[in-house]
Amino acid sequence: MNLVIVESPAKAKTIEKYLGSDYKVIASVGHIIDLPPNELGVDVDNNFEPKYIVIEGKEKVISSLKSNAKKADAVYLAPDPDREGEAIAWHIASQIDKNKPVKRVLFNEITKKGILDGINNPGDININRVNAQQSRRILDRLVGYLVSPLLWKPLRYGLSAGRVQSVALRLICEREEEIEKFIPVESWSINADFLIQGDKKEEKGTLKAKLDKINGKKAEIKTEAEANKILESMPKDFKVSDVEEKAVKQSPAEPFITSRMQQEAIRKLGFTSKKTMSVAQSLYEGVELAEGPVGLITYMRTDSTRISPEAVDEAKNYITKTFGEEYTSKNKKVSKKNNNVQDAHEAIRPTSVLRTPESIKKYLSADQYKLYKLIWERFVSSQMSEAIYNQTVVRLTGDKYEFKATARVLAFAGFTKLYLESKEEDVKNDEDDETTISFKIAKETPALRDKTEKKQHFTQSPPRYTEATLVKTLEQQGIGRPSTYAAIISTIVDRKYTELIEKKFHPTELGRIVNKILIENFPKIFEVKFTANMEKELDQIEDGSQNWHNVLSSFYKSFDKELKSATDGKISANLETNKKCPICNSDLVIKMGKNGAFVACTKYPECKFTSNFKRNEKGEIELVEDKQFEGSGLICEKCGAELVYKKTRFGEVIACPNYPECKNIKNFLRYPDGSVKILEQGEKLDVKCPECSKDMVLKSGKNGIFAACSGYPECKFTANIEMKEDGKIGIKAAPSNESNEVCEKCGKPMVIKRGFRGAFLACSGYPDCKNTKPLKKKD
């Protein structure tokens, strides 16, 4: 028996089909050992030696790997073909019998050909690639473990800094500063309709054109007064001074690399980066078709546009048969050299062009179909001929003024018959100024200027980052790698450092403060160029041109210096506002409290002025009246004082202002009209228990008031409450029980369950599979 060890149970099932009965395929379900969660785990005084421990919950997996390896004649380590996969293979090798032949195999596609090619060409573990991975892991641990605590004291426990995530946050914060400081510059344009006699007498038409030059120089009109002066002096009679006609070719986009796939999926499909990678992983690992489980795309973490000759030939044959010879590219595609490209894998492509999206649609989920179709069309179109446009540029001259009209007509569709790349957000294209010419225009033809209009313009501020443009910027700047973009974006959103508003990143006040602290105290470590250079050095470790110990030592010298300075100094967690205190005229600053950001006087404790605030469109701070302790109009039945609204960490309550002498507190909900409904313990709701159909009643607990089944303790159903639009109290839907874990026993998703002792992970295949395990903090 030959043992093959992969990462994913889903992939194991697909691979086992192709290898036959002589092979047993099992999964490690990701990493099995890692740095310890509750200590640094890196000996900085001993050449940065990492301390690896078994990941919690992976003891059974390792035991299974060991016992299966003992029975095997040979062991093939086949985790994913990247740095992480290489490290997993190395860790597995360290745990199993050293006396067995242990080989590393790479499956770049989960197809019969890909599996057999890999198994028939085994190699050794690439220790340079392993060292690159563990260098990245150690770097991230050093920064995260040693810098994050510096945020806890001035802000709150649990905040994190990251070597790469913090640079991404910096980009977003600096873009926001650019937008807030931006001053629009006014300009004007002049457009006119020209009545023109066509080449034939019966042809007449109107041509829309834009003022392009004055006295042979580019027209730059800064004010309305200048525009009016031009219009007053402009003649009515013009002539066609030049007609230029030429064919313009447009080449197809190259096949997807990871970052481009993420960008297109965000724009065209509305996927997040994280969702794109998750769906792509499922397509790579294998989908159950009529022929059995098949990997539908090549490995999805790549920054190379290289394509195998066999795949190119298959695509071109398909194009010729489907669209015709003229649609098949005659050119040999040559990828542009990029120094950041590792080129370990091909570009992302379908494992077979013959598996068209429509032919396998019934076997795919909606998301799988959308992404597969995008990948398939992008790859096939990359092997198609260029699109050809007939472009006409007409220039019209009158006195010192020259207008220009550009028209473009598709003459041959080429690759556009199948696929068009999406336009980048907020980027103006030349086609925006194009017009339509419906008749032949000859040179020297008279043209009469007719309807003419002036138009005011203002320069636009730099656009906020979307997920797509942030991924593009990270790629261009050399920050992170294709496999890390999704995690970077998820982290800065999950940590509440940024928020997506209308699909654009806005830094939160917390994000601004964290960014300020990190840049002030670590000006080098969180600098864009420094981070990009670290990525290059990690690549050099992988190709063997750099020693990983030397790279870590060089990094730590700079890092330790900044770390000591930050640790010894006083960290300010305040943001300046350019506002003065209305009480003492001192400066106001933004601070973070347990209920969020607020404005406070710098003369505290002498002056205790605080206020809520908001930012206007220019990012300027505006004070907002705090409704904390606003009177409710209700009288305290215990002491006779007027009850007031008060904010707590569990939400807003109505409480007695004489606290702590009087501790009267009432929970409430607001009706749609803004009036208040006081909630009383034991009050029956107009809702039935979804589990036993008995009445739901209000109960009070340490986290506030909630709905519970009146059948307790026989039925223990509970739920949070909310005010519905009809003015009745309803119960909120339960939170999602999805997790990112996969059952190591049967390969089905693990879900979050809640029991008497708290939440835990359980296999969704229950009762057939009863596997459970503890729920980690990250879940």
Side-chain angles (χ1 to χ4, degrees):
M1 185 269 286
N2 298 297
L3 181 67
V4 179
I5 303 174
V6 297
E7 287 183 48
S8 159
K11 188 162 62 171
K13 182 181 177 184
T14 310
I15 292 171
E16 203 161 50
K17 166 196 165 186
Y18 294 116
L19 291 179
S21 58
D22 291 342
Y23 291 84
K24 182 176 182 179
V25 186
I26 61 175
S28 70
V29 197
H31 284 273
I32 57 169
I33 63 175
D34 195 8
L35 299 175
N38 298 320
E39 60 177 288
L40 180 61
V42 179
D43 190 346
V44 294
D45 298 320
N46 185 25
N47 231 357
F48 301 93
E49 195 63 33
K51 174 186 175 182
Y52 290 118
I53 65 165
V54 173
I55 296 171
E56 184 185 354
K58 285 298 179 79
E59 295 84 1
K60 288 182 180 179
V61 174
I62 292 177
S63 177
S64 173
L65 293 176
K66 286 181 175 179
S67 62
N68 278 286
K70 275 185 181 179
K71 302 171 191 172
D73 298 312
V75 178
Y76 296 91
L77 303 175
D80 287 349
D82 57 12
R83 285 179 189 165
E84 292 297 322
E86 208 71 29
I88 292 171
W90 185 56
H91 293 155
I92 292 171
S94 71
Q95 299 291 313
I96 61 178
D97 191 346
K98 306 290 190 299
N99 298 318
K100 294 288 174 69
V102 177
K103 290 291 181 182
R104 172 75 165 123
V105 294
L106 303 175
F107 299 144
N108 291 309
E109 58 181 72
I110 310 302
T111 60
K112 185 172 184 178
K113 179 182 180 301
I115 300 304
L116 296 180
D117 281 351
I119 213 76
N120 292 329
N121 294 282
D124 296 320
I125 291 173
N126 184 333
I127 197 63
N128 288 333
R129 188 176 284 180
V130 172
N131 288 336
Q133 186 278 340
Q134 75 174 347
S135 297
R136 176 189 288 278
R137 186 74 185 93
I138 291 169
L139 285 170
D140 291 345
R141 171 53 66 94
L142 290 171
V143 173
Y145 202 89
L146 298 176
V147 176
S148 295
L150 299 178
L151 302 173
W152 299 348
K153 187 176 180 181
L155 294 173
R156 67 167 182 261
Y157 179 80
L159 296 178
S160 72
R163 185 180 61 86
V164 180
Q165 80 180 47
S166 297
V167 178
L169 173 62
R170 179 175 185 168
L171 289 173
I172 292 169
C173 289
E174 288 180 347
R175 176 59 58 88
E176 196 70 20
E177 288 175 15
E178 287 181 64
I179 293 169
E180 290 170 356
K181 292 176 181 176
F182 180 79
I183 300 174
V185 177
E186 181 184 14
S187 65
W188 290 75
S189 64
I190 294 176
N191 296 281
D193 291 348
F194 289 89
L195 303 177
I196 300 178
Q197 176 69 50
D199 202 23
K200 298 177 183 177
K201 286 185 178 180
E202 64 274 13
E203 287 184 337
K204 288 183 180 179
T206 301
L207 179 67
K208 293 184 180 293
K210 182 179 179 180
L211 180 61
D212 186 46
K213 292 181 180 179
I214 303 174
N215 284 327
K217 295 181 180 179
K218 194 73 179 173
E220 293 182 355
I221 311 170
K222 296 179 180 178
T223 65
E224 185 176 17
E226 288 181 31
N228 289 333
K229 190 175 179 181
I230 290 169
L231 289 173
E232 288 170 7
S233 63
M234 188 179 289
K236 279 280 187 181
D237 294 321
F238 279 70
K239 71 173 180 178
V240 177
S241 54
D242 189 39
V243 179
E244 180 188 357
E245 294 178 330
K246 64 178 180 180
V248 177
K249 294 182 178 180
Q250 182 182 349
S251 298
E254 291 182 309
F256 280 137
I257 59 175
T258 306
S259 58
R260 302 282 197 282
M261 176 181 71
Q262 290 174 345
Q263 291 169 52
E264 280 289 87
I266 291 165
R267 292 186 187 121
K268 284 195 168 186
L269 308 180
F271 287 7
T272 62
S273 299
K274 185 176 180 179
K275 180 176 181 177
T276 301
M277 295 308 293
S278 174
V279 176
Q281 181 90 32
S282 70
L283 294 173
Y284 163 71
E285 291 182 346
V287 174
E288 192 75 39
L289 305 181
E291 60 197 271
V294 179
L296 296 179
I297 63 171
T298 52
Y299 193 55
M300 65 285 159
R301 295 187 180 94
T302 178
D303 49 10
S304 170
T305 55
R306 177 174 58 82
I307 295 292
S308 70
E310 296 85 359
V312 171
D313 290 342
E314 185 185 54
K316 288 188 174 181
N317 289 334
Y318 174 86
I319 294 164
T320 301
K321 289 179 182 177
T322 307
F323 300 103
E325 183 74 33
E326 68 274 22
Y327 283 92
T328 307
S329 173
K330 307 300 185 292
N331 302 326
K332 187 175 181 181
K333 305 285 181 181
V334 180
S335 298
K336 296 176 183 176
K337 182 65 177 172
N338 185 336
N339 293 330
N340 290 330
V341 170
Q342 296 172 37
D343 206 41
H345 315 294
E346 288 186 60
I348 304 167
R349 62 168 176 83
T351 52
S352 174
V353 166
L354 302 181
R355 291 191 196 96
T356 62
E358 289 303 320
S359 70
I360 61 171
K361 183 177 182 179
K362 64 181 178 181
Y363 302 104
L364 306 177
S365 69
D367 289 340
Q368 286 176 326
Y369 171 73
K370 289 175 185 176
L371 187 60
Y372 180 71
K373 186 171 185 285
L374 192 71
I375 293 168
W376 186 92
E377 289 181 349
R378 173 79 168 219
F379 170 63
V380 174
S381 69
S382 74
Q383 303 305 314
M384 294 177 74
S385 52
E386 300 163 317
I388 301 174
Y389 294 86
N390 288 335
Q391 181 173 287
T392 304
V393 179
V394 179
R395 296 186 179 276
L396 304 106
T397 307
D399 194 10
K400 60 183 179 181
Y401 301 106
E402 183 180 292
F403 281 76
K404 177 183 174 183
T406 303
R408 198 168 76 149
V409 179
L410 182 64
F412 175 66
F415 74 92
T416 65
K417 194 175 183 71
L418 181 64
Y419 179 86
L420 267 177
E421 190 171 22
S422 61
K423 289 183 180 181
E424 193 170 317
E425 301 96 330
D426 301 307
V427 173
K428 185 178 182 295
N429 288 279
D430 292 338
E431 301 104 74
D432 295 342
D433 288 331
E434 287 180 358
T435 186
T436 302
I437 300 176
S438 57
F439 57 96
K440 188 79 172 174
I441 300 174
K443 200 173 176 181
E444 300 299 324
T445 303
L448 181 66
R449 179 172 63 86
D450 191 19
K451 182 183 175 183
T452 307
E453 61 181 8
K454 61 188 179 184
K455 191 173 181 182
Q456 186 182 35
H457 307 273
F458 288 96
T459 52
Q460 298 295 308
S461 64
R464 290 184 176 90
Y465 289 109
T466 62
E467 271 207 57
T469 55
L470 183 58
V471 167
K472 182 179 180 181
T473 302
L474 292 173
E475 179 195 9
Q476 289 175 335
Q477 299 278 14
I479 300 167
R481 277 290 172 259
S483 58
T484 64
Y485 297 147
I488 291 168
I489 291 170
S490 293
T491 301
I492 60 176
V493 173
D494 293 344
R495 295 287 182 188
K496 310 295 185 192
Y497 296 157
T498 66
E499 56 185 348
L500 279 166
I501 301 174
E502 295 180 350
K503 299 185 177 180
K504 295 186 178 182
F505 284 104
H506 295 245
T508 61
E509 298 304 328
L510 176 61
R512 290 175 191 255
I513 293 173
V514 168
N515 181 62
K516 170 184 174 286
I517 291 174
L518 295 179
I519 292 175
E520 284 181 352
N521 294 280
F522 299 90
K524 185 175 181 182
I525 300 304
F526 296 114
E527 203 271 326
V528 171
K529 289 183 180 177
F530 181 86
T531 305
N533 189 58
M534 283 305 308
E535 296 295 345
K536 289 179 182 177
E537 291 190 323
L538 290 170
D539 292 343
Q540 289 166 352
I541 292 171
E542 181 169 345
D543 66 28
S545 61
Q546 278 264 38
N547 177 280
W548 71 285
H549 294 296
N550 294 342
V551 169
L552 291 174
S553 178
S554 175
F555 168 84
Y556 194 73
K557 283 178 184 175
S558 297
F559 175 59
D560 191 45
K561 185 179 178 181
E562 292 187 345
L563 182 65
K564 285 177 179 175
S565 176
T567 305
D568 295 340
K570 185 178 180 181
I571 294 177
S572 169
N574 300 335
L575 288 177
E576 295 178 359
T577 66
N578 294 324
K579 285 279 184 182
K580 296 292 183 180
C581 175
I583 296 176
C584 70
N585 204 40
S586 300
D587 292 334
L588 293 177
V589 292
I590 296 173
K591 293 189 172 188
M592 288 300 299
K594 62 182 181 180
N595 293 323
F598 64 98
V599 166
C601 182
T602 52
K603 289 296 183 181
Y604 180 87
E606 290 82 13
C607 178
K608 296 181 180 178
F609 175 80
T610 62
S611 174
N612 288 330
F613 71 95
K614 66 178 181 180
R615 288 184 185 268
N616 61 23
E617 292 179 358
K618 294 181 180 179
E620 297 167 339
I621 299 300
E622 295 179 353
L623 302 184
V624 176
E625 182 183 353
D626 191 356
K627 292 187 178 180
Q628 176 82 309
F629 307 122
E630 179 186 2
S632 67
L634 301 174
I635 302 300
C636 177
E637 65 272 20
K638 294 183 178 180
C639 70
E642 183 185 7
L643 297 174
V644 296
Y645 293 104
K646 191 173 183 181
K647 292 174 185 173
T648 74
R649 60 195 177 108
F650 304 118
E652 205 173 11
V653 297
I654 293 176
C656 184
N658 293 329
Y659 180 89
E661 289 78 15
C662 180
K663 297 180 179 178
N664 190 14
I665 294 177
K666 297 182 182 294
N667 291 288
F668 72 93
L669 287 177
R670 289 190 185 276
Y671 287 110
D673 63 3
S675 59
V676 169
K677 159 73 176 172
I678 301 296
L679 304 176
E680 301 289 347
Q681 170 127 319
E683 180 181 348
K684 190 169 80 171
L685 303 181
D686 192 18
V687 178
K688 298 295 183 183
C689 175
E691 292 188 0
C692 72
S693 299
K694 290 186 177 179
D695 291 331
M696 296 291 289
V697 295
L698 293 179
K699 291 203 173 182
S700 182
K702 63 178 182 179
N703 295 331
I705 204 153
F706 62 97
C709 180
S710 60
Y712 181 85
E714 288 76 18
C715 178
K716 297 184 173 70
F717 178 80
T718 62
N720 291 326
I721 59 173
E722 63 182 352
M723 182 67 75
K724 300 292 186 180
E725 290 184 4
D726 60 3
K728 294 181 180 179
I729 301 174
I731 60 175
K732 289 184 180 180
S736 169
N737 69 342
E738 294 178 0
S739 81
N740 294 322
E741 295 281 335
V742 176
C743 178
E744 60 269 25
K745 291 186 177 179
C746 70
K748 290 187 177 180
M750 300 289 281
V751 295
I752 300 170
K753 296 274 188 177
R754 292 162 183 83
F756 179 70
R757 294 184 179 178
F760 61 94
L761 286 174
C763 181
S764 60
Y766 181 86
D768 299 320
C769 178
K770 298 179 180 178
N771 186 27
T772 64
K773 56 184 180 180
L775 184 68
K776 297 175 187 174
K777 189 175 180 182
K778 68 182 178 64
D779 296 311

